[in-house]
């Protein structure tokens, strides 16, 4: 059976571990995609504009050499791409 001090340390460790998992959670998300032409070829250097429909705030990106783009930490709302 654990002593009072050992139980307190054990509980403190559990609370610490639990708090780490809570800190890592967020309600934000991201959008990732690939810009292609009608034949399926990638388009490097294309301009992608992601607009928050509610605020009209725009995020402008340029696709990579593989035609991909990615934006993180977006609010969970409706976007126009």
């Amino acid at each position: 059976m654990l002593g009072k001090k050992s139980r307190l340390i054990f509980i403190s460790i559990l609370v610490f571990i639990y708090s780490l998992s809570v800190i890592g959670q967020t309600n934000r998300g991201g959008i990732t995609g690939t810009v292609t032409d009608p034949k399926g070829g990638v388009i490097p250097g294309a301009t992608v504009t992601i607009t928050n429909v509610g605020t009209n705030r725009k995020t402008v990106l340029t696709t990579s050499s593989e035609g991909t783009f990615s934006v993180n930490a977006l609010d969970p709302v409706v976007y126009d791409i």
Side-chain angles (χ1 to χ4, degrees), residues 52-68:
N52 178 322
V53 173
T55 64
N56 205 34
R57 181 172 181 245
K58 298 178 186 317
T59 302
V60 180
L61 310 165
T62 303
T63 60
S64 70
S65 58
E66 293 84 30
T68 62

Side-chain angles (χ1 to χ4, degrees), residues 15-65:
V15 168
F16 176 73
I17 291 170
Y18 177 74
S19 67
L20 288 177
S21 68
V22 171
I23 290 171
Q25 296 179 9
T26 178
N27 69 339
R28 304 195 93 172
I31 297 173
T32 302
T34 303
V35 178
T36 59
D37 63 24
K39 293 183 179 183
V42 299
I43 303 177
T47 299
V48 177
T49 303
I50 300 171
T51 306
N52 178 322
V53 173
T55 64
N56 205 34
R57 181 172 181 245
K58 298 178 186 317
T59 302
V60 180
L61 310 165
T62 303
T63 60
S64 70
S65 58

Side-chain angles (χ1 to χ4, degrees), residues 1-4 6-7:
M1 183 166 157
L2 295 174
K4 187 174 182 179
S6 296
R7 277 196 311 249

